[in-house]
Amino acid sequence: MSLFTILFTAALVNNFVLSQFLGICPFLGVSKKIQTAAGMGGAVIFVITISSVITSTLYNLLLAPNNLEYLNTIVFILVIAALVQFVEMVLKKMMPALYKSLGVYLPLITTNCAVLGVALLSVQNEYNILESTINGFGASVGFFLAICLMAGIREKLENCNIPKALQGTPIVLITAGLMAIAFCGFGGVSF
């Protein structure tokens, strides 16, 4: 597979929020405003891309050659937790407003199943280190795209006349469902 195919597939065809339904908690919780969604998306891009490099390197150079594959989930979680702590410290020091607006969702990146899912899917697909990095970057860009689109739609929905029964969570879930259907259209694209 070419690197562009891996990137395109990870970002759009197999978008882990809208196609694989991983990472729904921050997707729904932080997508109320575009600025906050973009901040969360940027943090997720950093964490997933760097964790893809590190976890793939550890798996391909340490775990697999020594028959320690059974430790991959534990090792991957430790790497992800350390990266999220680093991002949290940087945001708290450099961008306190964004840190405050992300609130509890920033530490939740550690337990975000999408971050671990991308690392595990790279191992399952037998990607090398470069392919894992491209897959992680593509998947995180897909998350960024999805959360920013959702935030833009939600900001527009605030000015719409929505029936009382559909206000709040119901319209958000309907919107997410429609976005997922739209992203299914990328499945027919071939190179």
Side-chain angles (χ1 to χ4, degrees):
M1 242 202 269
S2 75
L3 296 178
F4 178 75
T5 304
I6 292 172
L7 179 72
F8 182 81
T9 302
L12 299 175
V13 177
N14 293 327
N15 185 291
F16 61 80
V17 175
L18 299 173
S19 173
Q20 298 179 16
F21 306 111
L22 299 173
I24 297 293
C25 178
F27 174 71
L28 295 176
V30 183
S31 63
K32 293 178 182 162
K33 301 227 177 278
I34 291 177
Q35 186 177 6
T36 308
M40 174 59 91
V44 168
I45 287 174
F46 177 80
V47 170
I48 290 181
T49 303
I50 300 301
S51 70
S52 294
V53 172
I54 295 171
T55 56
S56 180
T57 303
L58 288 173
Y59 182 81
N60 289 318
L61 300 179
L62 179 67
L63 299 177
N66 295 312
N67 294 323
L68 298 172
E69 292 94 347
Y70 60 91
L71 292 175
N72 65 359
T73 304
I74 295 168
V75 170
F76 293 176
I77 289 172
L78 291 173
V79 167
I80 292 164
L83 283 171
V84 170
Q85 287 298 321
F86 175 73
V87 169
E88 194 171 357
M89 288 186 307
V90 168
L91 285 180
K92 189 174 186 178
K93 185 98 172 157
M94 304 287 194
M95 298 179 231
L98 179 59
Y99 174 79
K100 188 175 180 181
S101 68
L102 290 175
V104 72
Y105 293 102
L106 186 58
L108 283 178
I109 296 175
T110 303
T111 59
N112 186 343
C113 56
V115 181
L116 180 60
V118 170
L120 292 174
L121 286 172
S122 291
V123 168
Q124 181 182 351
N125 292 332
E126 298 178 356
Y127 288 154
N128 61 35
I129 296 169
L130 179 60
E131 292 170 337
S132 293
T133 304
I134 296 297
N135 182 55
F137 179 71
S140 58
V141 166
F143 177 83
F144 180 85
L145 179 65
I147 197 169
C148 286
L149 285 172
M150 175 61 97
I153 293 169
R154 286 180 77 174
E155 283 186 2
K156 294 286 185 188
L157 286 174
E158 288 180 8
N159 300 324
C160 293
N161 187 14
I162 299 171
K164 188 167 177 86
L166 295 177
Q167 291 177 357
T169 304
I171 196 68
V172 172
L173 294 176
I174 290 168
T175 303
L178 293 172
M179 286 177 65
I181 291 169
F183 270 66
C184 285
F186 290 114
V189 177
S190 62
F191 298 102

